[in-house]
């Protein structure tokens, strides 16, 4: 397989996953409004931080209102991670590499592109936004299922898997980090009165990853910070947990040629995740520092993918 082809389908996987993750985040943050008592504020600017788009946002994210954030995440051309840009980048990569995947896959991506082109302007109203985002989630899941059911499990498929799972691991870490710290501004400062709001926050974090029911099956206890973070980082079975995603990446490395260096680096990353003591990190207020380190590890994993299998002179999008 040509390096330039491998790179394009890798980014196809990342951009499609980014579309779904962004849609999930917006949906859950909107629903969070219904769960909170009156007077408790939801910080819309948190979504800008989670998506990593702070440098492209033209306003102070802390003071941003719902409409400005929705426009930025859904359709802002200046935001490279907006849903509109992500699907456009995915469509272009799929168009160029369409001969190596089932024709239905490109048709699905193309249909989603034109659906968003016609309907993104309706995203300001919550009712229409919900329908829009549920359609995005459904179509991206259909894309994933179509590949799994109809595409040969060859090197091309592995590169799409690499992109999807690395993007998913990065987004999960971002949601835990920024979501835990800033999605909810508690109405009161003392522990007793803030505890109920913290539980609602952790529920929203789980729901943004469709992990609430799986968490309840895995942890037979009330929702709490330590168990939620452990589940979303260390669970090997939940598809959106960081450990599971990196396990899928490791499997791809094992089946691709020249993957020894990448496999060695990733083994160290996974070891640090498995050995993390989240109770201590939370009690010592070091969770943010740890998650920063995990995100750096994910970025390093991307770099070694690029240097191992992609053309060195090609500048990858991010």
């Amino acid at each position: 397989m040509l390096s330039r082809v491998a790179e394009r389908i890798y980014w196809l996987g990342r951009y499609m996953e980014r579309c779904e993750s962004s849609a999930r985040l917006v949906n859950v943050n909107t629903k969070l409004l219904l769960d909170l008592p009156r007077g408790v504020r939801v910080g819309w600017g948190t979504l800008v931080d989670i998506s990593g788009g702070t440098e492209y946002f033209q306003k102070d994210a802390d003071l941003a209102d719902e409409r400005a954030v929705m426009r930025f995440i859904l359709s802002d051309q200046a935001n490279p991670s907006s849903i509109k840009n992500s699907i456009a980048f995915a469509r272009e990569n799929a168009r160029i590499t369409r001969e190596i995947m089932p024709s239905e896959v490109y048709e699905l991506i193309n249909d989603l592109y034109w659906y968003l082109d016609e309907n993104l302007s309706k995203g300001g109203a919550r009712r229409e936004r919900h329908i829009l985002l549920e359609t995005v989630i459904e179509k991206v899941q259909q894309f994933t299922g179509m590949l799994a059911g109809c595409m040969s499990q060859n090197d091309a498929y592995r590169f799409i898997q690499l992109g999807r799972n690395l993007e998913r691991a990065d987004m999960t870490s971002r949601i835990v980090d920024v979501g835990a710290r800033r999605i909810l501004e508690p109405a009161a400062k003392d522990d007793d009165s803030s505890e109920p709001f913290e539980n609602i926050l952790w529920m929203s974090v789980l729901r943004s990853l469709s992990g609430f029911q799986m968490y309840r099956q895995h942890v037979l206890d009330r929702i709490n910070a330590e168990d939620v973070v452990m589940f979303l980082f260390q669970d090997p079975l939940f598809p959106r947990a960081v450990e599971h995603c990196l396990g899928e990446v490791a499997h791809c490395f094992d089946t691709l040629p020249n993957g020894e260096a990448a496999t060695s680096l990733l083994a160290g990353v996974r070891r640090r995740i498995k050995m993390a003591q989240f109770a201590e990190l939370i009690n010592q207020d070091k969770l943010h520092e740890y998650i920063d380190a995990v995100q750096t590890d994910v970025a390093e994993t991307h770099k070694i993918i690029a240097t191992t299998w992609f053309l060195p002179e090609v500048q990858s999008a991010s």
Side-chain angles (χ1 to χ4, degrees):
M1 177 184 295
L2 294 175
S3 296
R4 62 175 64 90
V5 175
E7 184 175 25
R8 284 196 175 275
I9 58 178
Y10 166 82
W11 279 105
L12 168 62
R14 290 202 71 158
Y15 284 129
M16 291 300 288
E17 181 64 29
R18 196 171 293 180
C19 283
E20 181 180 351
S21 297
S22 298
R24 287 178 178 278
L25 282 172
V26 174
N27 249 357
V28 169
N29 212 57
T30 302
K31 292 176 182 177
L32 186 60
L33 291 169
L34 304 177
D35 295 332
L36 297 175
R38 291 184 178 181
V40 179
R41 181 171 171 261
V42 174
W44 287 99
T46 302
L47 301 185
V48 178
D49 293 336
I50 291 176
S51 66
T54 307
E55 62 181 300
Y56 304 103
F57 195 61
Q58 301 300 317
K59 302 179 180 179
D60 185 344
D62 292 335
L63 304 177
D65 60 11
E66 179 179 356
R67 182 176 295 275
V69 172
M70 288 304 97
R71 187 184 307 112
F72 179 75
I73 291 179
L74 296 181
S75 60
D76 195 334
Q77 293 282 10
N79 175 18
S81 295
S82 69
I83 290 178
K84 182 175 184 177
N85 279 334
S86 293
I87 192 62
F89 295 148
R91 176 174 177 260
E92 178 64 11
N93 287 330
R95 183 188 66 79
I96 293 172
T97 60
R98 60 191 300 180
E99 72 281 355
I100 68 174
M101 64 186 72
S103 59
E104 294 86 355
V105 172
Y106 175 73
E107 292 170 8
L108 184 150
I109 296 171
N110 191 52
D111 289 345
L112 178 57
Y113 172 84
W114 287 113
Y115 170 80
L116 291 175
D117 185 67
E118 295 175 2
N119 293 281
L120 274 176
S121 60
K122 304 174 184 177
R126 291 179 184 172
R127 180 182 178 84
E128 286 75 11
R129 184 196 309 159
H130 175 75
I131 296 172
L132 172 76
L133 296 176
E134 287 295 324
T135 301
V136 171
I137 294 169
E138 177 184 331
K139 291 297 183 182
V140 176
Q141 291 181 334
Q142 186 179 344
F143 161 81
T144 302
M146 191 176 291
L147 289 175
C150 303
M151 185 173 179
S152 297
Q153 312 289 288
N154 53 16
D155 288 351
Y157 181 79
R158 298 302 177 202
F159 278 112
I160 296 175
Q161 275 193 311
L162 276 180
R164 176 171 64 247
N165 283 286
L166 203 62
E167 181 72 25
R168 189 175 287 181
D170 179 66
M171 183 58 75
T172 296
S173 69
R174 289 177 181 274
I175 290 172
V176 174
D177 183 21
V178 186
R181 292 184 296 121
R182 298 185 58 208
I183 282 180
L184 174 64
E185 295 179 7
K189 295 182 179 180
D190 58 285
D191 294 339
D192 291 338
S193 60
S194 65
E195 185 176 356
F197 305 122
E198 292 175 5
N199 291 339
I200 292 172
L201 164 63
W202 287 115
M203 287 176 61
S204 73
V205 168
L206 289 167
R207 284 173 173 158
S208 69
L209 297 165
S210 291
F212 179 69
Q213 288 176 288
M214 296 302 100
Y215 170 85
R216 295 304 298 267
Q217 292 177 21
H218 178 82
V219 182
L220 302 178
D221 194 5
R222 67 180 182 84
I223 292 177
N224 62 87
E226 179 185 346
D227 285 337
V228 171
V229 176
M230 286 179 60
F231 176 71
L232 293 178
F233 271 88
Q234 296 178 332
D235 191 274
L237 301 179
F238 179 58
R240 294 184 180 275
V242 175
E243 165 57 20
H244 178 89
C245 293
L246 296 183
E248 292 294 304
V249 172
H251 176 67
C252 293
F253 286 169
D254 290 340
T255 57
L256 290 171
N258 306 318
E260 294 80 8
T263 298
S264 177
L265 182 144
L266 187 61
V269 175
R270 296 180 69 192
R271 187 164 52 250
R272 287 190 287 276
I273 289 173
K274 291 176 182 178
M275 295 176 62
Q277 301 296 319
F278 288 107
E280 294 180 12
L281 291 170
I282 292 170
N283 290 335
Q284 297 173 9
D285 199 23
K286 293 183 178 180
L287 181 61
H288 174 65
E289 295 176 18
Y290 171 79
I291 297 178
D292 273 353
V294 170
Q295 290 173 358
T296 299
D297 285 340
V298 171
E300 289 299 319
T301 304
H302 163 72
K303 288 180 182 178
I304 202 166
I305 291 172
T307 56
T308 302
W309 288 291
F310 305 155
L311 291 176
E313 66 268 26
V314 175
Q315 295 294 322
S316 297
S318 61

Coordinates of all heavy atoms in Angstrom, one line a residue, residues 27 29 32 36 55 74 77 105 136 177 181 216 226 234 239 258 263 267-268:
N27 N -24.8 16.8 22.4 CA -26.1 16.2 22.8 C -26.2 16.1 24.3 O -27.2 16.5 25.0 CB -26.3 14.9 22.2 CG -27.4 14.9 21.1 OD1 -28.1 15.9 20.9 ND2 -27.6 13.7 20.5
N29 N -24.4 17.6 26.6 CA -24.3 18.9 27.3 C -25.7 19.6 27.3 O -26.1 20.3 28.2 CB -23.3 19.9 26.7 CG -22.7 20.8 27.7 OD1 -22.1 20.3 28.7 ND2 -22.7 22.1 27.5
L32 N -27.9 17.8 29.7 CA -27.5 18.1 31.1 C -28.4 19.3 31.7 O -28.6 19.4 32.9 CB -26.1 18.5 31.1 CG -25.4 18.7 32.5 CD1 -25.5 17.4 33.4 CD2 -23.9 19.1 32.3
L36 N -30.3 19.4 35.8 CA -29.8 20.3 36.8 C -30.9 21.2 37.4 O -31.8 21.6 36.7 CB -28.6 21.2 36.3 CG -27.4 20.4 35.8 CD1 -26.4 21.4 35.2 CD2 -26.8 19.7 37.0
E55 N -7.7 27.8 20.7 CA -6.9 28.8 20.0 C -7.6 29.3 18.8 O -7.3 30.3 18.2 CB -5.6 28.1 19.5 CG -5.7 26.9 18.6 CD -4.4 26.4 18.2 OE1 -3.6 27.1 17.6 OE2 -4.1 25.2 18.5
L74 N -20.3 23.1 15.4 CA -21.1 22.5 14.3 C -20.6 23.0 12.9 O -20.3 22.1 12.1 CB -22.6 22.9 14.4 CG -23.3 22.4 15.6 CD1 -24.8 22.8 15.6 CD2 -23.2 20.8 15.7
Q77 N -16.0 27.4 9.9 CA -14.9 27.1 9.0 C -13.6 27.3 9.6 O -12.6 26.7 9.2 CB -15.1 27.9 7.7 CG -16.3 27.6 6.9 CD -16.2 26.4 6.1 OE1 -15.2 25.6 6.2 NE2 -17.1 26.1 5.2
V105 N -19.6 2.6 1.3 CA -19.0 3.4 2.3 C -18.9 4.9 1.9 O -19.2 5.8 2.6 CB -17.6 2.8 2.8 CG1 -16.9 3.8 3.7 CG2 -17.8 1.5 3.4
V136 N -26.1 12.2 12.8 CA -24.6 12.1 12.7 C -24.1 10.8 13.4 O -23.4 10.0 12.8 CB -23.9 13.3 13.2 CG1 -22.4 13.1 13.3 CG2 -24.3 14.5 12.4
D177 N -11.0 14.7 31.6 CA -10.2 15.8 32.1 C -11.0 17.1 32.2 O -11.3 17.6 33.3 CB -9.0 16.1 31.2 CG -8.1 17.2 31.7 OD1 -8.2 17.5 32.9 OD2 -7.3 17.7 30.9
R181 N -13.6 18.7 35.5 CA -13.2 20.0 36.2 C -14.2 21.1 35.9 O -14.4 22.0 36.8 CB -11.8 20.4 35.7 CG -10.7 19.5 36.2 CD -9.3 20.0 35.8 NE -9.2 20.0 34.4 CZ -8.9 21.1 33.7 NH1 -8.8 22.3 34.3 NH2 -8.7 21.1 32.4
R216 N -22.6 0.8 35.2 CA -23.4 0.2 36.3 C -23.3 -1.3 36.4 O -23.4 -1.9 37.4 CB -24.9 0.6 36.1 CG -25.2 2.1 36.2 CD -24.7 2.7 37.5 NE -25.4 2.1 38.6 CZ -26.5 2.6 39.2 NH1 -27.0 3.8 38.7 NH2 -27.1 2.1 40.2
E226 N -13.6 8.2 41.5 CA -12.6 7.2 41.3 C -13.0 6.1 40.4 O -12.2 5.7 39.5 CB -12.2 6.7 42.7 CG -11.1 5.6 42.6 CD -10.8 4.9 44.0 OE1 -11.2 5.5 45.0 OE2 -10.2 3.9 44.0
Q234 N -9.1 2.4 32.4 CA -8.5 1.1 32.5 C -9.3 -0.1 32.1 O -8.8 -1.2 32.1 CB -8.1 0.9 34.0 CG -7.0 1.9 34.4 CD -6.6 1.7 35.9 OE1 -7.4 1.3 36.7 NE2 -5.4 2.1 36.2
P239 N -15.6 -0.4 24.8 CA -15.0 0.0 23.6 C -14.5 1.5 23.6 O -13.6 1.8 22.8 CB -16.2 -0.1 22.5 CG -17.1 -1.1 23.1 CD -17.0 -0.9 24.6
N258 N 6.7 -3.7 9.8 CA 7.6 -2.7 10.4 C 7.0 -2.0 11.6 O 7.3 -0.8 11.9 CB 8.0 -1.6 9.4 CG 8.5 -2.2 8.1 OD1 9.3 -3.2 8.1 ND2 8.1 -1.7 7.0
T263 N 5.1 -0.7 18.4 CA 4.6 -1.6 19.4 C 5.3 -1.4 20.8 O 4.7 -1.4 21.8 CB 4.8 -3.1 19.0 OG1 4.1 -3.3 17.8 CG2 4.4 -4.1 20.0
A267 N 3.5 -0.1 24.2 CA 3.5 -1.0 25.4 C 3.8 -0.2 26.7 O 3.2 -0.4 27.7 CB 4.6 -2.1 25.3
G268 N 4.7 0.8 26.6 CA 5.0 1.7 27.7 C 3.8 2.6 28.1 O 3.5 2.8 29.3

